[in-house]
Amino acid sequence: MDFWSSSVSTDNELEKFVIRMNPPKVTIDNASSRKATLVKVDSANKRGSLLEVVQVLTDLDLLIRRAYVSSDGEWFMDVFHVTDKNGNKVMEENIAERIQLSLGPRTYSFRARNRSVGVQGASEKSTSIEITGRDRPGLLSDVFAVLADNNCNVVAAEVWTHNSRMASVVYITDETTGSAIEDPTRISKIKQLLLYVLEGNRDKRIANTAVLMGSTHKERRLHQMMYDNRDYDVAYTDDRSTSERRKPIVTVENCTDKAYTVANLRCSDRPKLFFDAVCTLTDMQYVVYHATVIAEGPEAYQEYYIRHVDGGPVSSEAERQRLIHCLEAAIKRRISEGIRLELCGEDRVGLLSDVTRIFRENGLSVTRAEVTTRGSQAVNTFYVTDSSGNPVKRTAIETVRNEIGRAILRVKDEGLSESRGGGGDETGKFFSLSNLFKSRSEKFLYNLGLIKSYS
């Protein structure tokens, strides 16, 4: 065992021991606030604790309206104001238990990221394929066609596109057995065929593909895959479809007296925004020591006090700019541009190949997709633009619906799905949450016993 592996192993064992001696405490409070449920988390601090809690809350389909994070030293104490999707308080009894379990000792180790196409066993019933590459019209159609031609049934998938990149996690089963595909020869063939599809573009700078072996949270992986494929690279950014009104504002400044870097985010609010920002900070090897999140209106405001894992703040202008671009990408990569189409019907092998082929033949380009299977039913969502990224004409949508079936393909939401919010003067200096909410949030934290005093 080399020195690095030995050090990681020792750190993991020490971390597990500390957590066993100081198990996390999760409290659910439905009395303190009229509008939201308060989730309070006290635990021994470990790297990634904040991401794990936010990930659990997100997976429970809870909306985080406010958050106050404090994790200096060996302990972290966080308070989240959450509601369900309808804006109501949360009454389920198992939320505290699920969060508490998520904060237990880690059962995985750090893994290197390899740049290749790969296939991994996601569960006993399916095999997951992770793909990244340069986006182009018809790419998704080609991917699904390869899988259909090789007798693979797609039971679930999620596809993101941003800044000419594409990342996708696809779960497949064998057409005959309905189980995961384990034959290494067949897997190798599928990998090679997908490589041919992904390397069809001549631009080798961003035509790479990537995979991370092992089970990982799907949306977490999509962020990692996009980040690895440098979708934040401003040299190739294309913001034609993002209006100035909706453009996120991100500032990064050093707080020299406390040796922190302060990152401020302001943008239109949407579900999972907090999760997306914390994912990116974690992937970039930053630790969040304090944070305030306010998302009670059409806009969201987030402020993070961070340091690099080596303990230092942002040390150069180049690093500062890179952090800004990466946070902007984290905000924008989940925004769904285009018209939202929902397909609900009987599932079958080749369904996605046929549907995306019809999209392609009618000049539609998929910017994002969510594919699920419920029993024998396919429940799929597609966001589409024309091949140039512009809004799709009504005639093209009607043609596609006629070919696929008007009863199973419906237009659910036209235009930009993240169009709410905006307004205000976004051209001036970014306001500081520490000024706007300082007295209110510090008093709140003091009342909860999370800080010793407030001014």
Side-chain angles (χ1 to χ4, degrees), residues 136 150 178 236 431:
R136 58 175 171 80
N150 285 272
Y236 308 107
F431 77 97

Side-chain angles (χ1 to χ4, degrees), residues 350-363:
L351 174 63
L352 289 169
S353 177
D354 293 340
V355 168
T356 52
R357 173 182 53 78
I358 292 172
F359 286 167
R360 179 180 189 172
E361 290 172 350
N362 286 275

Side-chain angles (χ1 to χ4, degrees), residues 219-447:
E219 294 179 346
R220 179 89 176 88
R221 278 298 299 132
L222 287 167
H223 276 297
Q224 291 174 339
M225 292 158 70
M226 280 294 207
Y227 177 76
D228 282 346
N229 207 24
R230 301 179 63 89
D231 74 320
Y232 57 85
D233 196 335
V234 293
Y236 308 107
T237 298
D238 184 357
D239 280 336
R240 290 174 299 174
S241 59
T242 304
S243 66
E244 287 299 319
R245 179 177 62 83
R246 296 174 54 251
K247 186 176 181 180
I249 297 177
V250 179
T251 63
V252 173
E253 298 176 354
N254 278 347
C255 180
T256 54
D257 57 332
K258 299 293 184 180
Y260 288 118
T261 293
V262 184
N264 285 298
L265 285 69
R266 176 183 176 185
C267 62
S268 297
D269 188 30
R270 60 167 175 77
K272 304 184 180 182
L273 182 63
F274 189 16
F275 171 77
D276 296 340
V278 175
C279 272
T280 295
L281 291 171
T282 303
D283 285 341
M284 297 187 72
Q285 307 298 305
Y286 292 105
V287 177
V288 177
Y289 288 87
H290 303 282
T292 303
V293 173
I294 309 293
E296 295 180 326
E299 285 189 318
Y301 310 91
Q302 301 182 7
E303 184 169 75
Y304 299 93
Y305 286 77
I306 62 175
R307 294 185 182 126
H308 199 267
V309 291
D310 63 9
V314 168
S315 59
S316 68
E317 177 62 19
E319 183 184 358
R320 189 180 77 89
Q321 289 295 328
R322 183 168 180 263
L323 177 55
I324 290 173
H325 297 320
C326 287
L327 288 171
E328 288 176 345
I331 294 169
K332 293 189 289 185
R333 65 173 61 120
R334 197 193 287 266
I335 295 177
S336 306
E337 303 288 355
I339 294 179
R340 177 178 171 179
L341 302 177
E342 287 194 356
L343 187 150
C344 300
E346 191 73 17
D347 190 32
R348 60 176 173 81
V349 174
L351 174 63
L352 289 169
S353 177
D354 293 340
V355 168
T356 52
R357 173 182 53 78
I358 292 172
F359 286 167
R360 179 180 189 172
E361 290 172 350
N362 286 275
L364 304 189
S365 181
V366 178
T367 62
R368 187 178 169 209
E370 298 176 30
V371 174
T372 57
T373 305
R374 300 173 186 170
S376 63
Q377 294 291 303
V379 183
N380 306 331
T381 301
F382 303 94
Y383 293 86
V384 297
T385 64
D386 70 11
S387 57
S388 299
N390 298 316
V392 181
K393 294 181 179 179
R394 169 64 64 177
T395 53
I397 293 296
E398 292 305 308
T399 300
V400 167
R401 291 190 64 201
N402 288 334
E403 290 191 44
I404 294 174
R406 300 181 66 85
I408 66 171
L409 184 67
R410 299 179 182 179
V411 180
K412 300 297 292 184
D413 187 20
E414 294 196 31
L416 301 174
S417 63
E418 306 291 336
S419 60
R420 63 175 178 161
D425 181 11
E426 297 187 353
T427 59
K429 181 176 175 61
F430 188 91
F431 77 97
S432 174
L433 287 174
S434 60
N435 294 330
L436 185 61
F437 299 109
K438 181 177 180 180
S439 61
R440 186 172 179 181
S441 63
E442 288 189 350
K443 182 178 180 180
F444 181 83
L445 292 172
Y446 172 76
N447 290 336

